[in-house]
Structures are given as structure tokens and as C-alpha cells.
Amino acid sequence: MMDVAVGAPSSGIEGRVFIYMGTSDGLSPQYTQVIESPFRSLGSPAQFGFTLRGATDIDSNGYPDLIVGSQ
């Protein structure tokens, strides 16, 4: 089973992305990783995780990459 990334643009201060691991029994009920926003906005929150795009190997290392968008 594939892993799943869930964008949470209103979570925390500037937004987060939660990673859930796929197992042979299905999707793990608890996230295994949290990606915090690297952005610190001066005005409104950055909303990191607003958009997600994956399943493409951008850096040609043999693994699919995850692109996280922010407003």
C-alpha cells in the first residue's frame, strides 16, 4: 500500500503536512512524520500544505518526491 500525505494549512502557526504510512493491513491510523512549514510570514499565515503534488521523481534518485505548496 502507498503512503499518504495530508496537507493541513491551518495547523500550527504556518501549516503542516502529515505523513501516514501504508502497510499490508492498510493505512496506519497514526501519522509517522510531520513536516512543519519552513516559512515565517509577516502578514497572514503561509498556509503550508495548501496544495500537494507527488508520485514524480523530480531529482532522479529513484524515489517519488512530494511537492508542498503554500499560498
Side-chain angles (χ1 to χ4, degrees), residues 29-60:
Q30 176 63 35
Y31 59 84
T32 56
Q33 182 179 2
V34 178
I35 304 171
E36 298 282 346
S37 174
F39 306 111
R40 298 293 173 249
S41 62
L42 299 175
S44 59
Q47 294 202 342
F48 181 76
F50 186 76
T51 56
L52 301 174
R53 175 75 171 136
T56 302
D57 183 10
I58 295 173
D59 57 4
S60 300

Side-chain angles (χ1 to χ4, degrees), residues 3-71:
D3 302 333
V4 175
V6 177
S10 297
S11 179
I13 298 171
E14 303 291 343
R16 296 178 176 142
V17 174
F18 296 90
I19 307 296
Y20 293 84
M21 301 297 287
T23 68
S24 58
D25 295 329
L27 196 60
S28 172
Q30 176 63 35
Y31 59 84
T32 56
Q33 182 179 2
V34 178
I35 304 171
E36 298 282 346
S37 174
F39 306 111
R40 298 293 173 249
S41 62
L42 299 175
S44 59
Q47 294 202 342
F48 181 76
F50 186 76
T51 56
L52 301 174
R53 175 75 171 136
T56 302
D57 183 10
I58 295 173
D59 57 4
S60 300
N61 67 353
Y63 297 98
D65 298 306
L66 175 66
I67 300 169
V68 180
S70 179
Q71 274 190 318

